[in-house]
Amino acid sequence: MLAIIGGTGMAQLACLEISHRQIMRTPYGEPSGPLTFGKINDNKVVFLARHGYGHTIPPHEVNYRANLWALQSLDLSRVISVASVGGIRADLTPGMIAIPDQIIDYTHGRKYTYHEGLDRSVTHIDFTEPYCHLTRNGLLRAAKRANERVIDGGVYGATQGPRLETAAEISRMERDGVDMVGMTGMPEAALAKELGLCYATIAVVANYAAGRKTSARAIRLEDAHAVLKQAMVGVRNILEHVVEL
Ligand code: HPA
């Protein structure tokens, strides 16, 4: 079974033939919402809306540990996360889709590990490659079959939010080598790795990052939502082809 975590612009998965929903509890609390089970093209899929079904949970309040724990308790092969981002690199323009291959974490104060508490041994997971290359390759192949253009690779910078960044913060991130900026990529990817889940992200560029090419020098969320709505058609198309593999 494949798991899909939907982000902003994907509170539901239109192509999913739903069989049932299940409320889960974990030692870390409740996930963002019930898990939705179903099929896409006869392949089993479980879907979870990261921000809740009514999009009520902001990025810094998502219970990432509960979300990943709930998914891990199922018999899963892969986890695909869909996440909206601001584009920093010149070719990451609104509407583009990228499959990032690296992460820089700028978040703070989040519950970012399962390895805490006196009863736990000291554990350092390897995080050299934050995303699962099999899942990334599956997504790239699916995009090819679906005839959707995607950018292979890129550095995802995870910010704390919920506010957007300053122009100077984006310039600093660019100097760090960040290509796209979002608020949910971490600790999600690291928690997935701690649990041994094969995890990769489809990043959808909703807007130019702060201070990049916006003539108004401000990010208009209405515009970003319209871009996401359109781009999610391409994401769904890719997802339909992933599960065919
Ligand atoms: N910054 C941070 N997160 C985002 C952005 C952005 O510009 N766009 C979508 N998610």
Side-chain angles (χ1 to χ4, degrees):
M1 183 161 60
L2 170 72
I4 298 170
I5 303 177
T8 304
M10 191 174 267
Q12 273 145 19
L13 193 53
C15 50
L16 186 66
E17 281 170 52
I18 298 172
S19 64
H20 64 286
R21 290 198 167 86
Q22 193 176 333
I23 294 175
M24 308 273 289
R25 292 203 171 74
T26 79
Y28 303 94
E30 280 189 29
S32 298
L35 302 186
T36 306
F37 293 82
K39 284 188 171 175
I40 300 178
N41 296 334
D42 258 2
N43 292 287
K44 281 186 180 175
V45 171
V46 56
F47 177 80
L48 173 63
R50 185 187 285 114
H51 300 285
Y53 287 93
H55 202 282
T56 50
I57 310 169
H60 61 293
E61 283 174 2
V62 169
N63 190 339
Y64 296 96
R65 292 199 299 186
N67 286 353
L68 274 301
W69 192 270
L71 294 178
Q72 184 239 205
S73 69
L74 308 168
D75 185 21
L76 281 181
S77 52
R78 287 169 289 178
V79 180
I80 292 171
S81 91
V82 181
S84 78
V85 293
I88 300 179
R89 203 170 79 196
D91 58 343
L92 286 166
T93 53
M96 285 300 302
I97 298 173
I99 314 293
D101 62 353
Q102 276 296 330
I103 296 176
I104 298 181
D105 186 8
Y106 299 90
T107 65
H108 49 85
R110 299 183 180 189
K111 297 277 190 194
Y112 54 85
T113 182
Y114 295 105
H115 299 294
E116 63 178 16
L118 290 175
D119 56 333
R120 302 291 161 91
S121 58
V122 178
T123 308
H124 304 284
I125 53 154
D126 178 77
F127 204 44
T128 311
E129 299 297 337
Y131 298 110
C132 162
H133 77 275
L134 288 177
T135 309
R136 281 193 74 254
N137 286 342
L139 285 172
L140 292 167
R141 278 200 305 272
K144 201 168 250 173
R145 285 166 167 231
N147 233 342
E148 294 288 342
R149 210 176 129 221
V150 297
I151 292 177
D152 177 2
V155 179
Y156 177 110
T159 54
Q160 175 65 5
R163 66 167 176 82
L164 293 159
E165 300 71 37
T166 67
E169 284 169 336
I170 293 298
S171 296
R172 184 183 75 164
M173 292 176 85
E174 187 169 43
R175 289 194 296 277
D176 284 353
V178 174
D179 298 310
M180 63 200 96
V181 54
M183 299 175 191
T184 56
M186 285 293 286
E188 198 172 84
L191 292 167
K193 194 81 155 190
E194 284 191 358
L195 294 176
L197 290 166
C198 298
Y199 172 97
T201 291
I202 305 184
V204 186
V205 182
N207 54 277
Y208 291 108
R212 310 285 114 159
K213 287 213 180 127
T214 33
S215 50
R217 289 276 296 171
I219 294 167
R220 286 164 44 94
L221 285 182
E222 314 87 82
D223 295 347
H225 283 136
V227 168
L228 278 183
K229 197 168 172 203
Q230 180 61 40
M232 286 306 164
V233 176
V235 172
R236 277 198 296 274
N237 191 13
I238 294 172
L239 291 174
E240 283 177 30
H241 286 78
V242 168
V243 294
E244 268 175 26
L245 292 176

